[in-house]
Amino acid sequence: MAAEIQPKPLTRKPILLQRVEGSQEVVNMAVIVPKEEGVISVSEDRTVRVWLKRDSGQYWPSIYHMMPSPCSCMSFNPETRRLSIGLDNGTISEFLLSEDYNKMTPVKNYQAHQSRVTMILFVLELEWVLSTGQDKQFAWHCSESGQRLGGYRTSAVASGLQFDVETRHVFIGDHSGQVTILKLEQENCTLVTTFRGHTGGVTALCWDPVQRVLFSGSSDHSVIMWDIGGRKGTAIELQGHSDRVQALSYAQHTRQLISCGGDGGIVVWNMDVERQETPEWLDSDSCQKCDQPFFWNFKQMWDSKKIGLRQHHCRKCGKAVCGKCSSKRSSIPLMGFEFEVRVCDSCHEAITDEERAPTATFHDSKHNIVHVHFDATRGWLLTSGTDKVIKLWDMTPVVS
C-alpha cells in the first residue's frame, strides 16, 4: 500500500514584491506613496527621488532632485503632498509635490538646527513641524509662517520622535537610553517626565494613540512597550533581535508590532495577548535555591569551607541562582523572550507547553535595515538598508 503523502503546512512569510535600486549611498528614509505605485526616498548621496512603477514593472525616478547637503530624514503628508526633508547641515527644506508626482516645488526652508537633523514630524492638525538634531535640540516651528515656536535641550542626541495630537505630548528617545515626555503649547513646553529602561541608546519610537502605548527600540537589541495610558508604570520587554533594533512600525487594526534591525530581521509581534512584565532581578549573597555562597561572599565561603559560585538570574522569577540550579533554558514568549533564556529548575518545570507557544514570527530581509514604513491599507512594508537598496514586501500573509 502506498504511503499517504501529507501536504506541508504553508509558511506564512512576507512576499518580496520589488527591489528599488539606484542610490549611490545609504537610503536614510523612504515612504510608500498611498494610493500610488510609488516610493519617495532621501539618501546620504544628497538626492530626493520619487520612484514610480512603470509599465515594465520596474520603479524609475519621476523626480531626481539634488540637495545642498546629505539628506538625513524626511516627513511626508499624503493629504497635502507636503514633503519636509532634514539635511546634514541642520536645515529643513519643505517642498510641495504635484498630483502626478512628477514635480516638486520648493516652499520654504527652516534653519532648525546647528547640525544634522535626526528626525522630523509634520503635524497637519496644528500646522507644526517637529524636529530633533545632533545639536541635542528638540524644536518646533509653525509650518505656515516658518517661525520657530520653541525648543528643548535633550540630554543626548535624539534618534526617536513621536507625537500625540490629542494631548499634545511629544516623546523623545535619545542615545543615552532615556525617553523624555514634553507637553507642548503654542510657544512653550513643559517637562512631564523622563524614564529609562534600556541599557543602550534608544534608536526608534512608535506610538499607538488608541491603546496609548509607546514602543521603544534600542541598540541593546530589545524593544520595550510602555503603558502610558494605563498609568500603572507597566513596561513589557520584547527580546527577538540579535543586533540593534533600528526601526519600528505598528499595525493598529491587528495590534501587531513590526520591529526591524541590524540583523536583517523583520519580527512581527502579536500585541493582542496578555503579556507579563519581566521581574526585577533580586540581590543576594548566596544562591536563593541551594544557599551556596557567591564568589564575593567571603564570610560564608570561609564558614562553610565552600568555593564561591558565579551568580545568575532566573528570567522568570528574578531570583539570584547558581549555575547548577539554573541549568535549564526555556522560551517565555508572554514575557517577551522568544529565544530560550536561563531559568531556574523549578520555574522550568512549571512552564507549560502552552506558555512556550510563540507570540512573534521571524523573517529575514537579507539586508541591514535602517528604516521601515508600513502601509496598512495595502499591507505593504518598505525596508531600506545600508546596502543602498529599498525593498517592498507584501505583509498580508503575516499581518492579518
Side-chain angles (χ1 to χ4, degrees), residues 83-228:
L83 178 64
S84 306
I85 301 164
L87 302 180
D88 189 64
N89 62 13
T91 303
I92 297 175
S93 294
E94 201 168 84
F95 297 86
L96 193 64
L97 298 184
S98 61
E99 287 189 35
D100 60 4
Y101 291 95
N102 280 305
K103 182 182 179 183
M104 55 190 286
T105 305
V107 178
K108 64 170 70 72
N109 288 328
Y110 307 86
Q111 298 303 319
H113 297 276
Q114 299 299 313
S115 54
R116 186 181 179 93
V117 183
T118 54
M119 290 295 291
I120 304 174
L121 285 178
F122 171 64
V123 184
L124 177 61
E125 294 87 344
L126 301 169
E127 292 288 346
W128 285 354
V129 177
L130 315 181
S131 63
T132 56
Q134 283 192 346
D135 56 2
K136 300 181 183 179
Q137 286 286 332
F138 161 72
W140 72 104
H141 291 75
C142 173
S143 61
E144 292 179 312
S145 66
Q147 178 185 353
R148 180 185 172 99
L149 299 175
Y152 181 87
R153 184 167 180 81
T154 56
S155 59
V157 174
S159 46
L161 182 64
Q162 290 289 288
F163 184 70
D164 182 60
V165 176
E166 184 183 341
T167 63
R168 297 192 182 184
H169 284 149
V170 65
F171 307 94
I172 306 167
D174 65 42
H175 287 181
S176 75
Q178 180 172 286
V179 177
T180 301
I181 303 181
L182 304 174
K183 174 67 179 278
L184 297 191
E185 303 296 344
Q186 186 61 30
E187 294 184 1
N188 62 74
C189 67
T190 307
L191 175 64
V192 177
T193 188
T194 60
F195 50 90
R196 186 189 299 266
H198 292 287
T199 57
V202 174
T203 49
L205 292 179
C206 185
W207 172 244
D208 173 15
V210 178
Q211 301 294 326
R212 306 201 64 73
V213 165
L214 181 72
F215 299 97
S216 60
S218 171
S219 58
D220 65 9
H221 309 179
S222 74
V223 178
I224 296 180
M225 181 188 83
W226 307 88
D227 183 8
I228 304 295

Side-chain angles (χ1 to χ4, degrees), residues 269-317:
W269 305 86
N270 178 14
M271 302 310 299
D272 198 20
V273 294
E274 194 66 37
R275 293 188 175 271
Q276 305 165 17
E277 273 194 288
T278 50
E280 292 286 337
W281 284 4
L282 302 176
D283 292 326
S284 180
D285 290 329
S286 57
C287 175
Q288 293 180 300
K289 293 292 182 180
C290 69
D291 203 38
Q292 282 271 77
F294 294 133
F295 63 83
W296 63 82
N297 189 350
F298 299 117
K299 185 179 186 305
Q300 189 177 342
M301 285 165 57
W302 177 264
D303 293 344
S304 62
K305 300 296 186 289
K306 292 179 179 178
I307 297 174
L309 303 176
R310 182 184 172 192
Q311 176 184 262
H312 300 281
H313 282 92
C314 172
R315 298 312 193 266
K316 182 161 175 58
C317 68

Side-chain angles (χ1 to χ4, degrees), residues 159-160 173-175 198-206 215-225 237-249 257-269 336 339 362 367-372 384:
S159 46
D174 65 42
H175 287 181
H198 292 287
T199 57
V202 174
T203 49
L205 292 179
C206 185
F215 299 97
S216 60
S218 171
S219 58
D220 65 9
H221 309 179
S222 74
V223 178
I224 296 180
M225 181 188 83
E237 195 170 335
L238 306 174
Q239 297 280 356
H241 288 275
S242 59
D243 203 337
R244 60 190 288 128
V245 178
Q246 300 272 46
L248 300 170
S249 190
L257 177 72
I258 303 170
S259 63
C260 300
D263 55 4
I266 300 174
V267 184
V268 181
W269 305 86
F339 303 147
F362 298 82
H367 67 163
N368 178 337
I369 298 172
V370 296
H371 178 73
V372 299
S384 57

